[in-house]
Amino acid sequence: MAMQSMRHRFCDILTSTVSALILTAIITAASTIFRDLVLHPQPVVSNVRVTSSTPLYHVRRPTLLSPEVPDASTYYRPGSSGSDGHRTSEKQLPSNIVIVDTADRPEDSEEDRKRKAWQRQHVPQGFKLGIRTIDRVVLYLSGSVDFSPCWDWNTKAIYASFVARFSSKTASQNDVVLLDAVLRPVSLSAQLARLAELRRQERSAALPGSGSERTAAAARAPADATQMLTDAERQQLAAFEETLRSNDHDHPSLHIDHIDKRLVLNESFKYYVDAFDDISLGGNTVEVVLRYQVMSYSGWAPVREDALGHQVKVRMPESAQQWKSQERW
């Protein structure tokens, strides 16, 4: 009888535990969705602007072409179908791709013969070597983005990216990521939390605004925080933030403030902006948009975009320079 009573008690405890876990998961997900629908949290974008101090480049890259197996090649476009319904052997290449002649010619120099021999050795059987020319530009971003309104107790991380958007002959909209970052949660000791709060007060007092606004912000700061942070305290906070940096992902030109959930851009650049399918960037207008995704412990929020305004549009020059490449093809 006692054994049966213990079994019933164990089953009751197990059932209550599972029910509590399920209820917690439902409440967590529901509260996150409700907060998102009601409050519509958005990042605070401050003076984000884009510049391009480098010229527009033409980049020549090798690509494999297959006249025998057109479906295996990205850049061979099928021609018209024959009377039997099969594709004809004639294929039309995009205007920015040319086929490389790898056959030896009597007029070839010794260097040309060595290069062609190397090409034939490295091109798979049934494929041809093509050279694809694309446009490339380097864009730099400055300003700051505050993601703290999007962060709550259920947030696991925020992935943010800046996307260059432009039109081309082959697509009405092309999106190329030029900079990205991941904001992660941070656990602070009492001392570091105090230093972080002093830095927030310092930053708030330095915000642009009327004199009365700055005076009010300074008045809210404690009396002993007139100087906010000492040099030693700044170094202590900076040393801790350095431990949060991911050398594999975080770019040195971008400061990621994991404590206050901010991105500080200072002529930041990570990826080239390449027009992969053609050479239509010349004279085109490139707009940069902010794309971000809030990842919670109970699931993923949808990807959102923010248009950053006229300051993040730049017009490309009409002419382009040749990009220097060290590849052997």
Side-chain angles (χ1 to χ4, degrees), residues 77-83 85-92:
R77 294 179 178 176
S80 58
S81 299
S83 58
H86 293 86
R87 290 172 176 169
T88 62
S89 59
E90 295 181 359
K91 305 297 180 291
Q92 181 182 1

Side-chain angles (χ1 to χ4, degrees), residues 101-119:
D101 182 12
T102 58
D104 291 331
R105 304 294 179 187
E107 63 273 12
D108 288 346
S109 63
E110 185 64 25
E111 183 179 351
D112 291 335
R113 293 180 183 275
K114 290 182 180 180
R115 174 174 52 82
K116 290 183 177 181
W118 184 89
Q119 291 170 347

Side-chain angles (χ1 to χ4, degrees), residues 6-115:
M6 290 181 62
R7 287 178 180 174
H8 282 300
R9 185 176 301 175
F10 175 76
C11 290
D12 291 341
I13 294 174
L14 182 61
T15 303
S16 300
T17 303
V18 173
S19 300
L21 291 175
I22 294 175
L23 183 61
T24 301
I26 293 175
I27 293 176
T28 299
S31 63
T32 301
I33 295 173
F34 181 77
R35 173 182 179 271
D36 191 64
L37 292 175
V38 174
L39 299 180
H40 300 289
Q42 291 182 331
V44 179
V45 179
S46 301
N47 196 29
V48 173
R49 56 199 181 277
V50 61
T51 57
S52 177
S53 56
T54 61
L56 179 66
Y57 293 103
H58 280 337
V59 182
R60 300 174 72 246
R61 284 182 171 178
T63 184
L64 292 177
L65 307 171
S66 176
E68 288 83 8
V69 189
D71 291 335
S73 175
T74 305
Y75 295 102
Y76 250 107
R77 294 179 178 176
S80 58
S81 299
S83 58
D84 56 355
H86 293 86
R87 290 172 176 169
T88 62
S89 59
E90 295 181 359
K91 305 297 180 291
Q92 181 182 1
L93 286 173
S95 59
N96 64 321
I97 296 181
V98 295
I99 297 178
V100 177
D101 182 12
T102 58
D104 291 331
R105 304 294 179 187
E107 63 273 12
D108 288 346
S109 63
E110 185 64 25
E111 183 179 351
D112 291 335
R113 293 180 183 275
K114 290 182 180 180
R115 174 174 52 82

